[in-house]
Amino acid sequence: MIAHRVQRDLARAISAVENGHTDVRGALAQFAALGHAQRNGARADVIGITGPPGAGKSTLVDRLIEGFRANGETVAVIAVDPSSPFTHGAVLGDRVRMQRHAGDRGVFIRSMASRTAGGGLAPATRDAVRLADAAGFDVVIVETVGVGQVELEIVAVADVIVVVTVPALGDSVQTIKAGLTEIADMFVVNMADRPGANATALDLKHMVREGAREIPVLQTVAQDGTGLPALLDALAAKRGAGDSNAVRAVRFEVVRRARDAAVRAALAALDSDDASAVLDGLRDHTISRNDAVDALLAILGGPAHAH
Amino acid sequence: MPIKVLVAKPGLDGHDRGAKIVARALRDAGMEVVYTGLHQTPEMIVNAAIQEDVDVVGVSILSGAHMTVFPKIMDLLHEREVDDIVVVAGGVIQENDVPKLRALGVREVFNAEASTQDLIEGIERIVAAHGRDAARRAAQA
Ligand SMILES: Nc1nc2c(ncn2[C@@H]2O[C@H](COP(=O)(O)OP(=O)(O)O)[C@@H](O)[C@H]2O)c(=O)[nH]1
Ligand SMILES: [Mg+2]
């Protein structure tokens, strides 16, 4: 059980980070100062659930909550939905499927708008996960919308990644192939009550066999709980063997930071006098766009970057 | 910093068409709207409001149960020490109940004739004046 007061302060800490009033360290420190931080470091098991809109992810999360609670584990859910690229508003409706847990103090559910154009993870998602961990939850589930090649960010957040799909005709499995096999720890064909589930699962199994890692393919009916025991077993197995996932998460974290650093360096280089000269040339039409890009890359990192 | 709103439907009202229209209108006005579905108890509404850390809880009632639902919601918000969350009411509410709701701390009562534009403007105004982050919002504006 996680006390009401801890839940409230966790919720406020997440907002503070989400709104940029503090960074995650500040939030964790404040949290500890309130006497709430139960522990340090990543000890919660973090499960990422991703897949297309309407695949039944939230309904599945509801079932997972049920399963973990039956096992005596506390559960925090971070459910991310896309922000409108036009108004930046969002309708966050994932809770609707999980409302039977609304009165359970062992469950914390937080909706987040992605607040970025690309959808997928909200920038503050990983911080929210760390805060939920600090609050003492045993399991943190992150639900995100992912279509085709899921942004690899979720890899840095989750120890286990479940890709949810539905029975479909034709090229659905091809869509999945574009990047998801790199990050999926298991596939779930939800809505297995619909025609075509076996065929979709078989396609996925063939696809998975080509890879080096062992990736289970399961079928569920989230609405009535069919297939949930097998999914919980598969998750338990992956959770037990989490070490390689930690390695994977660290790899992606390094890539992420390196990418951020590269972007900062590029922005700084664009502010230099040399760069201004090139951009002036562009304004005066004395240099083509392609040549300007090459010239600016050369300024950034030497000739190796030009191509 | 978008305004975050919980749109809640307590009681036994059978459909949520109105609540969904409101949710989308608020989204289109740039707000982040948490929707929780039908048949919410005051306990569920308050738990959701706390976990979601919303600025505003908008409670829509058509069943006439407002004089039992709102006191419970306000009591729970007080008990959990989140009185700074703004509560507004909407739906079918008799004129003579409005002062009673206000006395409970409900900041605004939107009757059935209120347009979505009235709702948007009302919420923006109340959050600017009474919202938890009113000072911060004013500084940003
Ligand atoms: N037939 C069927 N419908 C399902 C199943 N799981 C979820 N649904 C329904 O699919 C719709 C979308 O579910 P939701 O969990 O919100 O999907 P999400 O957008 O992926 O989170 C809802 O109406 C669910 O009731 C299932 O296994 N079978
Ligand atoms: Mg969902």
Side-chain angles (χ1 to χ4, degrees):
Chain A
M1 292 297 147
I2 308 291
H4 284 307
R5 192 181 285 258
V6 177
Q7 296 218 4
R8 181 199 64 184
D9 293 336
L10 169 61
R12 295 197 162 176
I14 293 173
S15 305
V17 174
E18 194 178 25
N19 291 322
H21 302 151
T22 177
D23 62 9
V24 68
R25 283 193 191 184
L28 283 166
Q30 266 172 32
F31 207 62
L34 291 166
H36 295 331
Q38 310 272 313
R39 55 190 178 195
N40 268 315
R43 268 203 263 154
D45 282 307
V46 183
I47 300 170
I49 309 278
T50 190
K57 298 180 296 299
S58 298
T59 315
L60 211 51
V61 171
D62 171 74
R63 291 286 171 191
L64 291 176
I65 297 172
E66 182 181 36
F68 291 129
R69 293 299 292 139
N71 199 25
E73 295 179 286
T74 54
V75 186
V77 177
I78 314 291
V80 186
D81 281 313
S83 298
S84 157
F86 305 109
T87 67
H88 306 294
V91 174
L92 311 170
D94 296 310
R95 289 190 81 95
V96 175
R97 315 268 174 236
M98 312 173 194
Q99 271 309 82
R100 64 195 169 117
H101 304 292
D104 180 352
R105 270 199 292 125
V107 178
F108 176 93
I109 301 167
R110 176 63 174 247
S111 316
M112 290 178 97
S114 65
R115 295 198 183 175
T116 53
L121 283 198
T125 308
R126 48 200 286 101
D127 299 336
V129 169
R130 284 185 65 182
L131 287 161
D133 177 37
F137 286 94
D138 298 313
V139 182
V140 182
I141 303 175
V142 181
E143 177 188 332
T144 58
V145 176
V147 191
Q149 54 276 66
V150 160
E151 70 298 319
L152 296 174
E153 303 286 332
I154 193 166
V155 177
V157 172
D159 302 310
V160 182
I161 292 162
V162 181
V163 175
V164 182
T165 182
V166 291
L169 307 165
D171 58 11
S172 70
V173 172
Q174 284 307 316
T175 331
I176 280 178
K177 206 166 186 171
L180 280 184
T181 41
E182 310 306 320
I183 62 162
D185 292 298
M186 65 188 73
F187 285 105
V188 170
V189 180
N190 187 44
M191 305 203 183
D193 51 328
R194 296 209 175 151
N198 285 330
T200 302
L202 208 64
D203 279 354
L204 282 168
K205 280 182 186 155
H206 283 307
M207 189 184 82
V208 157
R209 226 171 272 151
E210 292 165 17
R213 294 187 304 139
E214 189 171 322
I215 307 177
V217 178
L218 304 164
Q219 296 187 40
T220 58
V221 183
Q223 258 175 344
D224 66 11
T226 303
L228 257 292
L231 174 55
L232 287 163
D233 284 349
L235 284 170
K238 291 282 180 188
R239 286 170 69 189
D243 203 62
S244 62
N245 292 316
V247 169
R248 194 189 49 176
V250 167
R251 284 172 57 107
F252 276 96
E253 177 65 12
V254 169
V255 170
R256 189 183 74 87
R257 292 210 194 162
R259 194 184 55 207
D260 288 354
V263 168
R264 275 196 300 276
L267 291 171
L270 284 172
D271 270 346
S272 70
D273 290 342
D274 287 352
S276 318
V278 174
L279 294 174
D280 285 345
L282 201 56
R283 284 192 196 94
D284 302 339
H285 306 287
T286 56
I287 184 172
S288 75
R289 290 184 195 188
N290 283 333
D291 289 347
V293 169
D294 285 345
L296 291 168
L297 285 173
I299 291 167
L300 174 57
H305 282 265
H307 55 96
Chain B
M1 183 165 69
I3 297 174
K4 192 167 178 181
V5 184
L6 179 78
V7 173
K9 286 237 12 134
L12 300 174
D13 305 359
H15 68 81
D16 57 358
R17 215 175 327 124
K20 283 184 174 164
I21 289 170
V22 166
R24 280 197 286 268
L26 298 179
R27 174 199 61 193
D28 291 343
M31 299 183 200
E32 292 179 352
V33 188
V34 181
Y35 181 62
T36 55
L38 293 167
H39 311 318
Q40 302 293 297
T41 64
E43 175 91 19
M44 291 161 95
I45 293 171
V46 169
N47 281 342
I50 291 172
Q51 293 177 355
E52 298 291 350
D53 193 29
V54 292
D55 301 292
V56 180
V57 180
V59 184
S60 152
I61 305 194
L62 301 172
S63 60
H66 46 274
M67 289 318 296
T68 56
V69 168
F70 277 99
K72 284 190 190 140
I73 291 177
M74 302 314 285
D75 279 352
L76 274 170
L77 288 172
H78 183 67
E79 195 184 299
R80 304 274 171 82
E81 298 173 71
V82 286
D83 304 85
D84 50 358
I85 296 177
V86 167
V87 177
V88 301
V92 182
I93 289 165
Q94 295 90 310
E95 204 58 43
N96 56 349
D97 283 338
V98 172
K100 294 183 207 157
L101 290 176
R102 285 186 172 280
L104 288 171
V106 176
R107 284 282 180 190
E108 187 63 270
V109 180
F110 298 99
N111 64 29
E113 273 91 72
S115 68
T116 53
Q117 195 54 37
D118 294 336
L119 285 177
I120 292 163
E121 283 168 13
I123 288 173
E124 283 172 347
R125 176 172 42 78
I126 296 163
V127 167
H130 307 288
R132 164 159 20 105
D133 282 320
R136 198 175 259 141
R137 285 177 195 285
Q140 279 179 359

